[in-house]
Amino acid sequence: MASPRRTNVSEPLTPILGRAELVDRAHALLDGGTRWLTFLGTAGVGKSRLLCAVAAGVPPRESPGGVWRCSLAGASTEREICGRIGEVLASQTDGKAVSLPEDAARLVDLLRAAGAMTLALDDAERGASWLANFLPPTLAALPGLRVLVGSRQRLGGPGETVLLVEPLEAPAAAALFVERAEAARGTPLREEERSLVPELVRRLDALPLALELAAAQLAVLSARELLDSLERSAIAGADGEAPRTEGDTHDTGWHRSLHAALDVSWSLLDDGLKESLCSLALFEDLLPDLASMQKVLPAGSDAAAQLTALGDRSWLRIERDPEGNRYRLLAVTRTYVRRRTPEDAARRARYMSCVAAHAARHIERWGQRESMVALCGMGADLGRALDMATDPATAVALGIVLGRVASIRGPVGATLDRLDRVFTLVQDATPSELVDLLLVRGRLHARDADPARSRADFQRALELASQVGDASREAQAASHLADHLRHHGEPALAETHYRRTLAVVADLELRARVTASLAGLVAERAGLTEAGVLYEEALVCARAAGADLLEAMSLQNLGLLVQEEGDLVRAEALYRKALARHVALGHRRYEAIAYLDLAALALERGRMPEAKSEAETACALAAAAGDQREVALAHVLLAVAFACLDDDDAAAMFVRAASLVQPLREPGLEQALEKHEGHLLLMRARREPAAAQSLFQAVEQLCNDTGEGDDARLATRILAGALERARGARDALRVARDGAWFEPPGSPRVDLSTRAQLHGVVATLAAAWMRDPKEEVPAEDLIAAGWRAQRSATKAAKNRLHVALATLRKLGLAAHLKRGPGGYRLVAAIVDANG
């Protein structure tokens, strides 16, 4: 009979979500001979549970002396640490009296007597220095000893292997939060509350302790009330707030618990590191590059050394990247540090100077990936620094950069308010500075659905640039004014401005932008061949200029063109390629536009659930970027998806979309909305078969006039495709999206939910139809779907498939299951997206 396991470590009562890979990696290191493994992470990240999970998984044969966990919380001296470890080891002596060690030598003797073992030392940060000196010689003297350490501070001795314990990935964090919230409440979260979970996870830094403590509050709070309390707490922790005191009412329960944990980490810092941390806590999100951070730290500080020390103590997150490390503080850490320290004028001055220098260095390379990422990552800091600025020159410089960042990422309204303040400070600004300010403010007014002010700013900028003979800025102003004219019903005048600009401008980046805009205008009047030539020219200019942003935009524009030409597969490939680049650049506005293009493409292809998902994503991104036009367009496409899915909320969605389109005053967009509303007629036709024919005729009349502009033409194509599908649906096979049933025309529904093989085959055919109605599914794929354990190449497997297909034909698929050179596909069919 096997002897009982010698340990004081228990298996976790609940699964450790999101940590399986880290546990496996730790065991792999131990199996590979690692004898000192340190789990390094900030307070609340889950080091203790991870340490116990790894220790509990050590096989008894590898640690015959046992697996023992010892908490060193608060222990820092040799006597305290040795005594704690000795107390744990004494528990394995079967009642025999053991004198507790008071020094390293006696502890080594006790460890030697205990035999080959695994020792898990938790909360070791206070004793880090002593352990760094004690463990290397002890491990050398005791070859059967293995040590696991949980610490907020790297110990740093020879032989130490460190595993960083980072906050959870978003899916695991959300799952943990929902699990704990529902356990606390005793009932499932409502759907509207679940929609807030991603933002709650972000606010809580995906820290397990913060998630668990906050989730417990949902026993009495709603998710919205919890989110509001977190927002109030973040505001209360903003720079300039008095240092935290006892009884601070701004702290939520979870804040107090985390702050108490961080008090320990704070006490371990020397004064120099504390001052450096206070300086870095002024930044809102991503910290700037190393050279810029050198400017914000106290005089005489070495930025590299300070960052290394703070990283080793788990105050700083270091994101490893092939192009260079990036640094940030967790939100809870930033709030804690800000409220620990009073306001300091010199520190704030260094911060503002750092942000301004960082902005100046990167704005010259606007459009290139490195600079776009750097500036977009500091959008919030640009705003804070601008709020602090009283010097007109600094305010102008920061205002121009912030305006450009806000035009692609938002926030729009707050940035417009800041720019209005800048204009009051720059009475003596140079014409060039005023032109730049007017251009960025004009773009933001356009994003904010204020076309009158947008046009006024562009016209004023054009006049000023012309007066002083600044050809480059004159060309920029003319192109922006042309963009405005194009969208507001004056295409001929817009084209005149575009062509005049191209005749004089030499800058490749500006040529790329103007050429792409002209191509779009040409395409709107159905000059697709000329538009294609212009788009290719724009792409060449963008690449020659090294303008990553413009290259991505050009790819997206080409996607629009090939979609209009009917090559929907290539259009999707171009959109997704452009989307990936926009994500890499941090260009939130164009991310939204790419998702809008994908949503429209899905509508044109009849993929309604996909269209709904893409439109919802576009809506969220556009709202975050503050772009009212894209928000309106997203709501229009979302309303179309609702109607095509026969959702009862479709009519209300169209009312909401119309309220967003109206302030934009764009004739083309208004015409597009009118055509899109034809989907409500098709929805009614599906519900009222007796009225279907007359409703189809009304929709056909809407399709006869394509309207003006690309938005209206696209709406016509989407509506015409939906009309064709609606007419064909009366004589078509209906198939559930998941393959659980099909319904032949004029026949009762055939249920496949209990017939696993047939269910799998039909589900695979339906999935292929959703991708492309002409896609053929190879026999091997159908065999794999119906008989997962079968080898598809065998004769028996092929015979089973032939029998299954014959059965499906007898059940009603005889006229709808076609075999081609590449396999099988459904014909004259409609896949029910709700099935």
Side-chain angles (χ1 to χ4, degrees):
M1 181 175 177
S3 59
R5 179 179 172 84
R6 296 164 56 79
T7 184
N8 64 350
V9 180
S10 302
E11 290 278 358
L13 294 176
T14 55
I16 305 181
L17 296 173
R19 299 301 195 199
E21 184 177 344
L22 203 54
V23 171
D24 290 345
R25 186 177 172 199
H27 283 147
L29 287 169
L30 293 173
D31 292 344
T34 297
R35 297 178 57 212
W36 174 7
L37 191 58
T38 296
F39 298 94
L40 178 67
T42 189
V45 81
K47 297 183 299 298
S48 295
R49 292 197 75 207
L50 184 62
L51 186 73
C52 288
V54 173
V58 173
R61 67 179 181 277
E62 295 181 6
S63 196
V67 179
W68 308 98
R69 176 185 177 273
C70 175
S71 173
L72 298 181
S76 59
T77 66
E78 180 176 6
R79 180 171 184 151
E80 290 171 338
I81 295 172
C82 292
R84 293 275 186 92
I85 298 174
E87 287 176 1
V88 170
L89 297 180
S91 66
Q92 66 165 306
T93 61
D94 299 324
K96 298 177 183 178
V98 176
S99 60
L100 297 184
E102 297 182 355
D103 57 36
R106 292 183 182 180
L107 177 58
V108 170
D109 290 340
L110 188 57
L111 289 169
R112 182 179 289 110
M117 69 161 64
T118 299
L119 187 61
L121 304 177
D122 201 5
D123 305 308
E125 51 274 343
R126 283 193 180 276
S129 296
W130 188 85
L131 288 168
N133 293 318
F134 169 76
L135 287 176
T138 302
L139 288 166
L142 304 177
L145 177 65
R146 294 191 299 189
V147 180
L148 308 176
V149 179
S151 176
R152 304 178 200 178
Q153 180 169 327
R154 189 187 299 265
L155 274 61
E160 179 185 30
T161 298
V162 174
L163 280 183
L164 287 176
V165 186
E166 299 277 17
L168 294 170
E169 295 292 331
L176 174 63
F177 182 86
V178 170
E179 177 188 288
R180 298 296 190 265
E182 292 183 343
R185 182 177 287 182
T187 58
L189 294 183
R190 298 187 303 277
E191 190 60 36
E192 60 269 24
E193 290 187 301
R194 284 178 177 270
S195 69
L196 298 176
V197 169
E199 180 61 17
L200 285 165
V201 166
R202 188 186 70 81
R203 292 271 182 180
L204 295 164
D205 288 320
L207 284 172
L209 178 60
L211 293 167
E212 296 200 23
L213 294 172
Q217 297 188 43
L218 291 193
V220 292
L221 298 178
S222 70
R224 170 53 64 186
E225 289 170 334
L226 175 60
L227 184 57
D228 289 344
S229 75
L230 296 178
E231 290 173 348
R232 288 194 299 272
S233 182
I235 293 170
D239 193 31
E241 183 79 13
R244 182 167 58 88
T245 59
E246 293 296 326
D248 191 334
T249 57
H250 290 307
D251 272 340
T252 61
W254 77 271
H255 258 120
R256 284 192 294 273
S257 299
L258 276 175
H259 283 183
L262 286 168
D263 283 339
V264 174
S265 299
W266 180 262
S267 68
L268 299 175
L269 299 178
D270 61 34
D271 290 343
L273 286 176
K274 286 179 179 177
E275 177 58 33
S276 293
L277 191 55
C278 292
S279 298
L280 297 177
L282 287 168
F283 291 94
E284 286 292 322
D285 189 13
L286 193 66
L287 300 179
D289 53 70
L290 199 61
S292 296
M293 278 189 283
Q294 185 68 63
K295 299 178 185 299
V296 82
L297 295 177
S301 300
D302 183 322
Q306 297 292 87
L307 291 175
T308 299
L310 291 171
D312 285 347
R313 289 159 176 78
S314 302
W315 283 100
L316 198 67
R317 283 195 72 185
I318 304 176
E319 299 174 359
R320 311 291 177 181
D321 190 281
E323 299 178 8
N325 292 342
R326 294 183 296 179
Y327 309 89
R328 72 171 76 240
L329 302 181
L330 295 176
V332 65
T333 303
R334 184 168 58 250
T335 301
Y336 172 87
V337 174
R338 286 179 177 178
R339 295 172 65 182
R340 284 289 317 215
T341 54
E343 181 178 343
D344 182 275
R347 190 186 301 137
R348 287 167 67 97
R350 292 198 306 269
Y351 163 77
M352 188 171 63
S353 174
C354 169
V355 174
H358 181 80
R361 184 164 61 256
H362 286 287
I363 193 63
E364 295 178 357
R365 299 189 298 275
W366 179 262
Q368 297 177 17
R369 181 179 182 278
E370 179 186 353
S371 293
M372 292 284 292
V373 170
L375 289 173
C376 289
M378 290 191 65
D381 288 294
L382 289 166
R384 293 188 71 235
L386 180 56
D387 291 341
M388 298 177 191
T390 56
D391 171 60
T394 302
V396 169
L398 288 172
I400 291 169
V401 179
L402 178 62
R404 298 191 75 170
V405 171
S407 70
I408 64 172
R409 286 190 65 82
V412 171
T415 304
L416 281 169
D417 291 340
R418 284 175 166 135
L419 290 181
D420 287 342
R421 172 180 168 268
V422 172
F423 272 94
T424 67
L425 296 175
V426 294
Q427 302 300 324
D428 298 325
T430 66
S432 296
E433 290 172 334
L434 286 175
V435 169
D436 291 342
L437 280 172
L438 286 165
L439 289 178
V440 296
R441 190 174 71 174
R443 286 196 292 270
L444 291 178
H445 278 313
R447 307 279 185 269
D448 200 39
D450 194 341
R453 290 185 179 179
S454 177
R455 181 169 185 160
D457 279 343
F458 292 148
Q459 287 178 327
R460 177 62 179 148
L462 182 58
E463 292 167 2
L464 278 173
S466 299
Q467 289 172 9
V468 298
D470 190 329
S472 175
R473 286 182 171 82
E474 184 177 354
Q476 293 179 49
S479 68
H480 285 302
L481 180 58
D483 290 341
H484 172 91
L485 296 169
R486 172 189 166 193
H487 287 299
H488 292 87
E490 300 182 60
L493 186 55
E495 184 169 352
T496 299
H497 280 294
Y498 286 140
R499 294 196 184 277
R500 284 179 179 173
T501 301
L502 288 174
V504 298
V505 69
D507 179 78
L508 286 174
E509 189 170 338
L510 183 55
R511 283 195 69 84
R513 198 186 76 77
V514 176
T515 302
S517 297
L518 176 60
L521 188 149
V522 170
E524 287 177 6
R525 63 167 189 253
L528 300 186
T529 302
E530 182 185 357
V533 172
L534 289 168
Y535 277 136
E536 292 289 356
E537 182 182 333
L539 185 58
V540 169
C541 289
R543 286 173 174 164
D548 300 318
L549 172 60
L550 286 172
E551 184 176 347
M553 292 165 60
S554 297
L555 289 170
Q556 198 164 334
N557 288 329
L558 277 173
L560 289 170
L561 187 65
V562 299
Q563 180 180 352
E564 187 150 356
E565 292 173 336
D567 190 347
L568 304 188
V569 173
R570 186 182 173 214
E572 180 174 4
L574 287 166
Y575 291 151
R576 295 206 179 277
K577 189 174 182 180
L579 174 61
R581 297 195 180 195
H582 290 312
V583 170
L585 289 167
H587 196 320
R588 187 180 289 153
R589 177 175 177 253
Y590 264 87
E591 283 181 56
I593 293 174
Y595 275 109
L596 282 174
D597 291 338
L598 287 167
L601 187 65
L603 288 172
E604 190 169 357
R605 300 170 88 172
R607 301 176 180 177
M608 302 313 164
E610 183 181 325
K612 180 174 178 287
S613 175
E614 308 282 23
E616 286 173 337
T617 303
C619 195
L621 285 166
D627 193 313
Q628 297 307 310
R629 185 181 194 277
E630 313 313 336
V631 168
L633 193 50
H635 275 84
V636 171
L637 297 183
L638 196 54
V640 174
F642 270 59
C644 292
L645 291 168
D646 283 338
D647 193 297
D648 291 337
D649 291 332
M653 291 293 295
F654 270 107
V655 171
R656 170 65 174 153
S659 71
L660 294 169
V661 168
Q662 189 275 329
L664 299 172
R665 301 184 186 89
E666 290 191 28
L669 200 51
E670 291 169 358
Q671 289 179 19
L673 176 61
E674 182 182 351
K675 292 183 181 299
H676 280 309
E677 287 173 340
H679 292 277
L680 291 175
L681 299 178
L682 294 178
M683 178 178 169
R684 184 180 160 197
R686 288 189 290 272
R687 296 183 173 193
E688 302 174 23
Q693 191 57 41
S694 62
L695 291 168
F696 287 163
Q697 290 174 354
V699 173
E700 192 169 11
Q701 289 178 358
L702 283 172
C703 294
N704 287 337
D705 177 16
T706 58
E708 298 179 4
D710 50 359
D711 290 316
R713 287 201 310 281
L714 176 60
T716 302
R717 294 202 309 274
I718 292 172
L719 184 60
L723 174 61
E724 182 180 353
R725 287 190 294 273
R727 281 175 165 160
R730 292 181 296 179
D731 302 317
L733 168 79
R734 292 183 62 229
V735 184
R737 188 182 189 189
D738 64 358
W741 54 262
F742 63 84
E743 191 175 293
S747 300
R749 179 171 294 185
V750 178
D751 185 5
L752 300 178
S753 58
T754 60
R755 307 174 75 168
Q757 289 80 19
L758 300 183
H759 187 173
V761 170
V762 174
T764 302
L765 290 168
W769 188 96
M770 291 288 287
R771 291 191 295 271
D772 183 349
K774 296 181 180 179
E775 180 180 332
E776 295 179 344
V777 182
E780 292 79 4
D781 292 353
L782 293 178
I783 294 171
W787 300 268
R788 297 182 183 277
Q790 296 292 319
R791 293 174 57 194
S792 61
T794 66
K795 184 176 180 180
K798 293 177 181 178
N799 286 338
R800 289 191 182 97
L801 176 62
H802 291 153
V803 171
L805 294 175
T807 302
L808 287 171
R809 288 188 173 99
K810 289 179 182 178
L811 291 173
L813 293 189
H816 304 280
L817 187 57
K818 182 176 180 179
R819 182 176 183 179
Y824 298 85
R825 66 185 178 97
L826 295 173
V827 297
I830 298 293
V831 173
D832 191 320
N834 296 315

